[in-house]
Amino acid sequence: MNLIFLGPPGSGKGTQAKRIAAKLGLLHLSTGDVLREAVKNGTGLGKKAQKFMEAGELVPDELIIGLIEEKLKAGALNDGFILDGFPRTIPQAEALRDMFARNKKVIHRAILLDVTDDEVIRRLSGRYYCPTCNAGYNYPMQLPKKEGICDNDGTRLLRRPDDEEVVVKNRLNVYKKQTEPIVDFYRKESILAAIKDNGGGPDRITESLLAEIAKINKA
Ligand code: AMP
């Protein structure tokens, strides 16, 4: 099963992609996670990506497309995956389509997690993560047992620098301008599905996603 999760920053893509990938035995490939790791390790990619990420801007297409091409060549996308945070522009979506056509691969669904702007801002301003195991928390919705400390390994929780309010607003603008057009791209390819977030909480969304994915298996 080959899936793309789409949605604005803070839509819960990462959380849901992690859960669904674990449940269905798929690879979870988050370009944001790959880039943050590259920045942390000071690699060539990290050095090129850092200033864009800190400003809430997108990293240039050729860097990201190159990264996905490498994963494809290495066979990482052979046994089913969820792409989280890629593609994020029309040129990225086109490059993915062409790469996959050359390799006789298909995307089964692009699933949009549909959340309002106000909800995005509310969520991102309360978002914290563990730098050791990458677990996510949210004040006041998903609190760790001990304030500011990861439940899994006791590490002090941090905020992503790009979750600060000015940067969040820019990321949302960037999403609307550069990423939202790919919703139509996948609608035209007839592989789009949308899950509306009505505030029922993350477990409800996971159920809706699993139901949507079950339809693919039956098709
Ligand atoms: P995310 O964790 O998906 O919110 O990504 C964090 C940041 O990484 C984004 O704000 C971008 O700067 C960069 N990034 C991640 N994925 C992409 C992509 N597909 N294209 C361009 N930039 C990306």
Side-chain angles (χ1 to χ4, degrees), residues 64-161:
I64 296 286
I65 293 167
L67 191 148
I68 298 290
E69 244 163 1
E70 265 173 37
K71 299 273 176 197
L72 184 65
K73 275 198 198 126
L77 304 180
N78 283 351
D79 298 319
F81 56 80
I82 301 177
L83 295 181
D84 158 17
F86 178 90
R88 242 181 168 101
T89 63
I90 291 283
Q92 291 180 19
E94 289 171 344
L96 181 68
R97 180 194 58 200
D98 297 347
M99 248 185 266
F100 268 38
R102 282 197 299 275
N103 288 274
K104 302 201 171 20
K105 282 190 161 309
V106 290
I107 301 288
H108 296 97
R109 276 293 183 287
I111 307 181
L112 171 69
L113 297 181
D114 199 0
V115 185
T116 63
D117 291 0
D118 285 353
E119 182 63 12
V120 162
I121 290 170
R122 193 190 65 73
R123 281 189 200 170
L124 293 183
S125 53
R127 183 155 90 165
Y128 288 77
Y129 77 102
C130 169
T132 305
C133 72
N134 237 349
Y137 296 89
N138 205 290
Y139 288 77
M141 304 290 277
Q142 285 169 275
L143 295 174
K145 291 193 186 86
K146 193 168 164 208
E147 195 183 330
I149 302 292
C150 179
D151 292 344
N152 300 331
D153 48 38
T155 307
R156 180 159 293 284
L157 301 178
L158 298 178
R159 277 177 66 68
R160 277 172 48 172

Side-chain angles (χ1 to χ4, degrees), residues 31-32 35-36 53 57-59 64 85 88 92 160 171:
T31 43
L35 291 171
R36 276 184 288 280
M53 295 174 76
E57 298 289 338
L58 294 185
V59 168
I64 296 286
R88 242 181 168 101
Q92 291 180 19
R160 277 172 48 172
R171 285 165 67 203

